[in-house]
Amino acid sequence: IIEHPVRPGYKLVDMTATETTADKYRFEVAVAANATVKHAIVEEFVYDQTIGITNLSYEQIMVWVRNKDLSEAGRAQLERIANLKRQIGDNQLEQQRTDERVNEFSQDENRLRNNINTLRNVAGQQDKVGAYSEQLAALGVRLVALRDQQAQLRQQADTMQRQLNDLVETLEF
């Protein structure tokens, strides 16, 4: 009788124990007198890993795309997801830049308004007030264009995020 420990997570491969206790496998092996027999016990441990694709960056997904064991269909799906995630990242970067420009323009707008209000009370400064008013009007036009761009970028981000969610939901290997 050969005893082998039962290990959590491991399973016997292509063999059955004669008897199993809570912590041991027992194998009955026929051995002739004064003989030696080798009896290999083969076990396997199945390693299971779950990865959330939506939490991975473009670069991390591309590491998986380069996996040679991945099917062509799986590779193509992951490439589409990676490219969409890259586009979403580019969009977010552009949104940040646009937000910064809107903030800068808003500060400039406030500064010009303060200058105009201050100069209105000073005699002989009507020309300067007129110049500041023109600058304020031009800045207002640019600010409206930037806010339109912000809205467009947010709409694009929403559309891309829905596309990404659809791709991840239908992902199959």
Side-chain angles (χ1 to χ4, degrees), residues 94-144:
E94 188 60 31
Q95 281 186 45
Q96 288 174 349
R97 289 180 186 145
T98 304
D99 291 346
E100 289 170 4
R101 289 177 64 202
V102 165
N103 289 336
E104 289 172 12
F105 283 8
S106 295
Q107 290 173 359
D108 289 347
E109 207 174 37
N110 289 334
R111 181 183 50 79
L112 285 170
R113 281 194 178 102
N114 288 336
N115 288 346
I116 290 170
N117 288 334
T118 302
L119 291 177
R120 278 191 181 151
N121 300 327
V122 178
Q125 295 298 319
Q126 277 67 23
D127 291 341
K128 199 67 154 166
V129 169
Y132 283 156
S133 294
E134 287 176 16
Q135 289 177 9
L136 186 60
L139 196 57
V141 170
R142 292 184 4 206
L143 197 52
V144 167

Side-chain angles (χ1 to χ4, degrees), residues 122-172:
V122 178
Q125 295 298 319
Q126 277 67 23
D127 291 341
K128 199 67 154 166
V129 169
Y132 283 156
S133 294
E134 287 176 16
Q135 289 177 9
L136 186 60
L139 196 57
V141 170
R142 292 184 4 206
L143 197 52
V144 167
L146 278 175
R147 288 199 171 123
D148 288 345
Q149 184 180 357
Q150 277 180 316
Q152 182 182 12
L153 287 169
R154 286 187 185 108
Q155 185 179 16
Q156 288 173 351
D158 290 343
T159 301
M160 287 187 286
Q161 188 62 48
R162 279 193 301 275
Q163 289 173 345
L164 178 63
N165 292 343
D166 291 344
L167 282 174
V168 169
E169 284 178 19
T170 59
L171 184 64
E172 271 187 40

Side-chain angles (χ1 to χ4, degrees), residues 18-84:
T18 307
E19 182 181 351
T20 303
T21 66
D23 62 346
K24 302 272 191 232
Y25 291 117
R26 291 192 179 125
F27 299 93
E28 192 173 318
V29 180
V31 180
N34 295 325
T36 303
V37 174
K38 286 190 175 189
H39 183 77
I41 298 172
V42 180
E43 297 177 303
E44 71 178 357
F45 180 82
V46 177
Y47 179 73
D48 189 17
Q49 181 179 18
T50 302
I51 297 174
I53 296 289
T54 55
N55 298 331
L56 296 178
S57 69
Y58 168 80
E59 292 81 11
Q60 291 169 320
I61 294 173
M62 290 309 293
V63 168
W64 286 96
V65 168
R66 291 184 201 104
N67 183 347
K68 293 182 193 290
D69 295 331
L70 189 62
S71 69
E72 283 302 317
R75 183 174 287 110
Q77 290 174 346
L78 283 180
E79 283 177 342
R80 283 195 305 272
I81 289 172
N83 288 331
L84 196 51

